[in-house]
Structures are given as C-alpha cells and as structure tokens.
Amino acid sequence: MQAAEAANPGYAAMGAGIGAGLVAIGTGLGIGRIGGSAAESIARQPEASGKIMGAVILTAAFIEGVALFGVVVCFIIGTK
Amino acid sequence: MNGFIYTITKPIFFYLITLLGLLSGLPVLANSHNPDKEFNSSELIFHHIKDSHEWHFASVGQVHYSIPLPIILWASDRGFACFSSARFHESATHTYHGYQISHEHISRTDGQKVYDFSITKNVASMFISVIILFGVFFTVAARYKGGPKRPSGIQSVFEPIIIFIRDEIAKPNIGPKYKRYLPYLLTVFFFIWFNNMLGLLPGGANLTGNIAVTMVLAVLTFLITTFSANKDYWKHIYNTPGVPWWLKFPLPLMPLVEFIGMFTKPLSLMIRLFANITAGHIIILSLISLTFIFKSHVIGVAASIFVVAMSFLEILVALIQAYVFTLLTSLYFGGAVAEHEHEHEHTHEAEDNIGHVKAH
C-alpha cells in the first residue's frame, strides 16, 4: 500500500482534472437548458421577459453553486 | 487660457480609467524579482488569493513595494504583542522576539500556542471598504434631512438600486413584514458588491473570496432566519404537511432531511460566493501566468485580450453574486415569516418616503 502511494503520486491531480472537466460539462448542459427555454419563453411572450430573466439568473446561480462545490473539491484534492 | 485648461482636464474620468488600466499591469511585474528562479504559477496564484500580513503591490528586481501591516498576537504566558510585520523581515530566519512566521502562519519558536489577531490584508481591506460604504450611504441618507428632495449627485446613483432591492427582492419575497429585514438585505448587498469590485482592482485584496468572511455572512443569515421564524416554519421542518406518516413516525426521515436542509442553505450561500469570487481571480491570474510559462510575446498579447474579457465578466459576476446572495437571503427570510392560513389584507399606502417627492 505504501509502495503504491510512493510510486503513483499523480492520480490525485489526474482525478482533480477529470473531475473539474466533468463538472464543467454538467454545468454547461444545465445552464444551456435554462438559456434555451428562457429564449423560447421570451419569444412566446416578450412582455414577461423581466420575470423570465429573474428566474434565469436565480436558477443559473443555484446550478453554478453546485458546480463550484465540485470545483472546490477538485481543487483541494488536486493541490493537497 | 482658461478654456484650454478646461478642455485638457475635462475628460478626467478617461485619464483615471487609463491610469487604472496601466496599473492593471502590476501583476506583470510578478516574476521580475527572481529572474533566476523558475516561474511557479501556483505560487503566484496562491499569493494573490490568500490573506497575508503585509499588503504587497509589486516587486521590481529586489525591491518589494509593500505596506507592512500591524501584527497583534496573544499568548497565554506573554499576553499581547503588537508590532509591525516588517520586523519579521529584519532577521534571516523570519523570527522576532520568539515568534516566527512561515508562509503567513505565525507560531512561537518554542512551540506554544499563540493566537493571531493581526490586521491582515483582508482586515485592512474590510476597514477601507467599510469607510467607503459609510461615506457613500451617510451622504445618501443625509439628503433626506428636512424631507425628501429632488435627487441629485450620488443619491441618484444609489437610490434606484435601493428601490430595486426593496421592490424586486424584499417586498415580493418577504411580504408585508419586509421593512424589518430591509436594512440587513441592503447592507449585505452593498457590502458584497463593493468588496467584490475592490478585489478586482490592481493591488486589491480578495476579501469576499475568504471563506471566513462568507461564512460570517451566511451565519448571520442563518441566525436571522432561525430567530425570526414563526410556528409555520418549524411545522414545515418537523411535521411537514402532506408527507405520509411513515416517513415521520418510527424513523423520522423527513424531519432529519429538513433539519439538514436548514443548515445546507446557508452553507451553499457561503460556498457559492467564496468559490465564484476565488475562481474568477484564479482564472485571471492563470491567464496572466500563461504569458510567463510560454515566455512568448504573441501569447502575451493574446492572453492579455483574454484577461480583459475575463475581467469584464468578473465585474458582472461581482454584481450577480451580490444580487443572488441578497435574493436567496430574502427568500429564506420569506420562508421563515410566511403565513399560510391567515391572510391579512395589507394596506397599500406607501409609508416610506423613498422615491416619492412631495409636490410643493
């Protein structure tokens, strides 16, 4: 076990990199969906664009919060 | 002659912004202090993100342009010790009177516990931003003395923002009792926004990217939510209506989930603000480091354009994160004071004078 630890120091950094990439994919998909449906709803009803923008920003902030949880974890394991 | 001077000095804002843009090149002097040592980008990035006991602006050659900040320590056998952080750099081993500093961590040379109450870069930055906040908002408030007047000056910048927070964030989410929470919401919004923006200036401190600061803001939100919660709020947590009895009775799963949810909401507030601001700073610093890693002029030009674009995005993120923190705080307050079964009719007269000018 200790020999393995000494011989493979790079796995944490690799895990961190792959993790951060996956986090970015998930966030991109999620916020892309919000943006798409927001654009669609504004096209259907332009008067409601203020409320829709409010909902977009709130939901995007939630999803970005989750994404940044993942980023912080990757950062910690990558630089520890 | 007067007209000539006037036309030269009229675009004062343009000159100030140009100066700001030139000063933004300060991180470029990042590596010039140790030309023989290999450039370590993570060291540069961590140095700019972390707190430190001196306010470091730039290093040119062997000259370090930094302001040493006061160090205040307390040890149980020695009491208080207060000195300038410059004392640590006078000795080669970075020790002074039995205290030593290593990577911004202060310890005793004999290993005993010492408590660090120093005015670090983040604390000093907070003092500066508090002075700015007081200056701005006492000025705005003073314009209401003697009745509301036609808005002018700095009041016309901040009053629409205050009205926005009152009408779009506080009133719809909290309901009729919004006035009690409006001071806290306004304070949190402007504190976070001003500190985010100050952190983006060259030589700025990363205050809202310090997890201790965001933790305090989240804890304040949590305390206000918990202490102003009414019976309906606790009923929702411990005896959620609409949930089947077998999730509550022998094994209280639903109350447990709701109880944990009570803590994860402020926790997410804390991490969201910390991670957004710190990640923004890391991105900008990494792009600047690219130039030094590749040691190429072409990369330098391209990276600088990216840095400018990212900086604009970070200015937007500064505002959005302040808005989101305030919005979510108001939603949690609204959830705590919400009344369901008893609908009052609320009066529609405006009891506050903000935004209404009496016709004379």
Side-chain angles (χ1 to χ4, degrees):
Chain A
M1 186 76 147
Q2 279 161 331
E5 256 180 279
N8 300 308
Y11 282 170
M14 183 173 92
I18 294 181
L22 288 172
V23 160
I25 292 180
T27 316
L29 280 175
I31 302 191
R33 284 196 64 151
I34 302 176
S37 42
E40 220 176 299
S41 345
I42 295 183
R44 275 174 162 241
Q45 194 179 356
E47 311 89 58
S49 71
K51 291 202 177 131
I52 295 175
M53 284 304 296
V56 164
I57 295 201
L58 179 64
T59 330
F62 272 126
I63 296 187
E64 202 161 322
V66 175
L68 286 164
F69 276 122
V71 165
V72 165
V73 169
C74 291
F75 199 73
I76 291 178
I77 63 176
T79 58
K80 202 66 173 224
Chain B
M1 188 59 195
N2 275 338
F4 177 71
I5 294 181
Y6 174 68
T7 50
I8 293 276
T9 57
K10 193 163 170 236
I12 179 86
F13 270 125
F14 172 71
Y15 296 141
L16 281 175
I17 292 182
T18 310
L19 183 66
L20 190 69
L22 289 171
L23 281 178
S24 312
L26 274 179
V28 165
L29 300 168
N31 199 32
S32 54
H33 61 99
N34 250 329
D36 34 326
K37 203 166 71 168
E38 181 77 34
F39 175 69
N40 187 353
S41 66
S42 73
E43 185 193 304
L44 174 81
I45 292 175
F46 274 110
H47 170 76
H48 275 85
I49 290 178
K50 277 193 168 168
D51 203 359
S52 80
H53 286 96
E54 59 177 8
W55 202 316
H56 177 235
F57 290 101
S59 302
V60 187
Q62 291 299 324
V63 184
H64 295 278
Y65 294 100
S66 63
I67 300 179
L69 294 168
I71 297 204
I72 305 173
L73 302 168
W74 188 83
S76 52
D77 52 344
R78 289 200 205 165
F80 277 103
C82 185
F83 49 91
S84 158
S85 68
R87 301 282 145 284
F88 275 130
H89 300 298
E90 288 165 358
S91 85
T93 52
H94 296 290
T95 56
Y96 177 74
H97 277 3
Y99 299 106
Q100 74 183 53
I101 192 170
S102 157
H103 287 284
E104 304 301 339
H105 177 71
I106 295 185
S107 53
R108 288 249 300 248
T109 45
D110 52 5
Q112 297 219 22
K113 191 104 178 72
V114 58
Y115 294 97
D116 188 355
F117 294 106
S118 314
I119 307 290
T120 61
K121 186 163 95 168
N122 283 5
V123 176
S125 157
M126 190 159 63
F127 286 158
I128 293 175
S129 78
V130 162
I131 291 175
I132 296 178
L133 280 168
F134 273 7
V136 166
F137 287 103
F138 276 124
T139 312
V140 173
R143 298 222 15 109
Y144 280 91
K145 266 193 209 147
K149 307 196 260 285
R150 181 169 48 91
S152 77
I154 212 169
Q155 182 193 8
S156 29
V157 174
F158 287 99
E159 193 172 298
I161 305 178
I162 297 177
I163 294 183
F164 174 80
I165 296 177
R166 186 195 66 176
D167 290 343
E168 311 289 333
I169 300 182
K171 263 196 208 163
N173 294 317
I174 302 182
K177 296 200 195 132
Y178 73 94
K179 270 193 177 178
R180 279 169 56 190
Y181 305 100
L182 197 55
Y184 176 73
L185 288 173
L186 289 168
T187 309
V188 135
F189 178 84
F190 286 109
F191 180 80
I192 296 178
W193 189 23
F194 277 33
N195 278 302
N196 288 349
M197 298 291 275
L198 285 172
L200 288 171
L201 291 176
N206 186 23
L207 179 70
T208 33
N210 184 339
I211 203 165
V213 170
T214 59
M215 182 174 81
V216 168
L217 294 172
V219 162
L220 286 173
T221 298
F222 173 69
L223 289 176
I224 298 180
T225 313
T226 312
F227 283 117
S228 62
N230 62 11
K231 270 194 137 78
D232 280 337
Y233 179 77
W234 296 116
K235 195 160 85 81
H236 274 264
I237 293 185
Y238 291 113
N239 192 8
T240 324
V243 167
W245 62 268
W246 40 271
L247 274 175
K248 294 183 208 167
F249 179 52
L251 221 59
L253 287 173
M254 196 61 197
L256 184 68
V257 168
E258 288 282 343
F259 182 73
I260 296 178
M262 205 168 72
F263 292 102
T264 56
K265 289 190 204 142
L267 188 82
S268 76
L269 280 178
M270 168 176 98
I271 296 208
R272 182 180 301 113
L273 180 60
F274 152 73
N276 261 299
I277 302 303
T278 304
H281 287 223
I282 292 181
I283 291 177
I284 294 182
L285 290 163
S286 307
L287 288 173
I288 294 179
S289 310
L290 269 184
T291 319
F292 293 101
I293 294 175
F294 286 105
K295 298 194 183 6
S296 143
H297 289 286
V298 177
I299 304 263
V301 170
S304 305
I305 298 176
F306 273 119
V307 164
V308 169
M310 283 309 300
S311 299
F312 277 121
L313 186 66
E314 283 308 302
I315 294 176
L316 185 65
V317 166
L319 177 62
I320 289 183
Q321 286 309 310
Y323 169 72
V324 165
F325 196 106
T326 312
L327 181 68
L328 287 171
T329 303
S330 74
L331 279 169
Y332 299 156
F333 290 167
V337 301
E339 311 248 0
H340 293 282
E341 286 80 18
H342 325 282
E343 301 271 11
H344 330 278
E345 55 238 90
H346 36 273
T347 58
H348 286 283
E349 55 193 333
E351 296 131 28
D352 42 18
N353 284 324
I354 301 178
H356 297 279
V357 177
K358 290 204 177 77
H360 291 291

